[in-house]
Amino acid sequence: MDIVQRNFFNLLRTGAFDEKSVVEPMSSFKWNRLYQMVEAQGVADIFARGVRLHEGESGMNLPNDLKEIIKRRYETQDLQPSTSESSDFSLSNHLMNRRLQKIVYAERHSIDTSVETIRLLRIIVENIGIMLNKGMSLGGIINLGQYLRTKGDKVDFVKFEQWLKTLQLRRMAQLQGSILIAVFGFEQEELPFVEVQEPHAHKLTLNCVSDLAKDTAEEWHFRQTSTGFVRNNGAVLRRNLRRSIRYIAYSPIETTSNFANNFIRSLSEIEE
């Protein structure tokens, strides 16, 4: 992990979990590169809070223009978590999605409904969707960590692990938990669904974060030329394939279904 990545994760760790780490001085170029990663991950509010909590330290030699951006971000951010969310969440694979909907319906109509356990399942499933469609979501991983630290004592983990097994998402959930351990300093005891830490969680996270910041290709997949031939955006297709390959070992069914669905959707959206 280079200095940019260290400062990136340390400031997010402070902003999200109030855990201070050492922040190292960098050049203006590297600070701007770091903020590129922040914007690509959609974690600017968390980062701004981390910067504020480290204010005055010798390592915080941010360029003045970036300081102003972060100051405005901190002053205008909504510090209250959003409570608005749709009641539905889904998987790409039709069979597994039917199982998911049955699980959620049965739990919501149970005499001992565990709203917290359904919410945890939602976070895991939504993170999977983002990871497969857009790349690693540190905002989603942080949301998972914050939820576990505030509501984890109310979750029925026996029930939750059975749901993961039924949906064949145990390793995907375990990967998300392993990222919290490898990158944000969680203890395995805080994550009952992580039986074994995924050994590649740290490297996978670094690679995904770097790649997402670099990916600037247009978001179109297939276009029809004036002559009637169809051409595709090879960069986007290769990026989606690369992403699928990264995660296929953790959830073969969902990863394959997601890639296939995106491919079919791209064909159906051919521009005239």
Side-chain angles (χ1 to χ4, degrees), residues 14-251:
T14 299
F17 304 112
D18 293 316
E19 296 181 10
K20 280 198 172 185
S21 304
V22 176
V23 178
E24 305 167 70
M26 299 192 299
S27 66
S28 295
F29 173 82
K30 288 183 177 179
W31 276 116
N32 286 318
R33 170 61 182 154
L34 186 155
Y35 197 69
Q36 262 188 321
M37 296 165 63
V38 167
E39 289 287 359
Q41 283 291 325
V43 290
D45 286 351
I46 296 171
F47 177 76
R49 184 171 184 274
V51 169
R52 177 58 61 94
L53 291 174
H54 280 279
E55 200 169 33
E57 296 181 9
S58 60
M60 300 298 295
N61 64 330
L62 286 74
N64 290 330
D65 56 342
L66 186 54
K67 284 182 181 178
E68 285 301 313
I69 292 172
I70 294 170
K71 180 182 178 182
R72 288 195 299 270
R73 188 84 195 205
Y74 183 83
E75 291 172 348
T76 59
Q77 68 179 281
D78 182 3
L79 297 178
Q80 298 299 319
S82 174
T83 56
S84 62
E85 59 182 25
S86 65
S87 60
D88 299 320
F89 53 106
S90 61
L91 292 166
S92 296
N93 182 268
H94 296 305
L95 173 60
M96 295 303 163
N97 189 52
R98 283 199 298 271
R99 291 184 183 180
L100 171 63
Q101 302 312 321
K102 286 181 180 178
I103 286 171
V104 173
Y105 181 85
E107 184 63 20
R108 284 175 176 162
H109 293 83
S110 171
I111 59 173
D112 61 340
T113 300
S114 174
V115 176
E116 291 80 14
T117 309
I118 295 176
R119 173 58 181 153
L120 179 58
L121 181 63
R122 170 196 289 279
I123 294 172
I124 293 291
V125 169
E126 290 181 343
N127 280 350
I128 291 171
I130 295 171
M131 290 163 76
L132 294 179
N133 290 301
K134 298 180 180 179
M136 180 68 67
S137 169
L138 288 183
I141 298 296
I142 287 170
N143 184 33
L144 172 62
Q146 291 175 329
Y147 187 77
L148 288 169
R149 285 193 170 170
T150 56
K151 301 288 186 180
D153 60 327
K154 298 180 180 179
V155 172
D156 185 336
F157 283 103
V158 174
K159 187 181 292 186
F160 179 68
E161 290 183 46
Q162 181 57 50
W163 292 350
L164 293 179
K165 183 178 180 180
T166 300
L167 298 171
Q168 298 189 28
L169 297 178
R170 292 180 68 181
R171 283 202 67 194
M172 265 297 208
Q174 189 163 264
L175 173 62
Q176 293 179 42
S178 296
I179 293 170
L180 285 172
I181 295 170
V183 176
F184 293 108
F186 274 59
E187 299 294 333
Q188 191 165 346
E189 292 73 22
E190 298 180 83
L191 309 158
F193 56 90
V194 178
E195 296 181 9
V196 179
Q197 293 183 44
E198 295 292 346
H200 301 297
H202 189 264
K203 183 178 180 181
L204 180 66
T205 304
L206 296 185
N207 289 341
C208 290
V209 168
S210 296
D211 287 345
L212 185 59
K214 294 174 185 175
D215 286 336
T216 55
E218 283 185 83
E219 287 300 327
W220 56 268
H221 295 215
F222 294 89
R223 287 188 177 178
Q224 192 168 8
T225 66
S226 58
T227 58
F229 290 101
V230 174
R231 62 189 177 90
N232 74 296
N233 183 337
V236 173
L237 190 61
R238 286 192 300 273
R239 186 172 68 204
N240 290 344
L241 181 59
R242 179 184 68 206
R243 189 181 302 130
S244 297
I245 290 171
R246 278 177 173 166
Y247 295 115
I248 197 165
Y250 301 99
S251 183

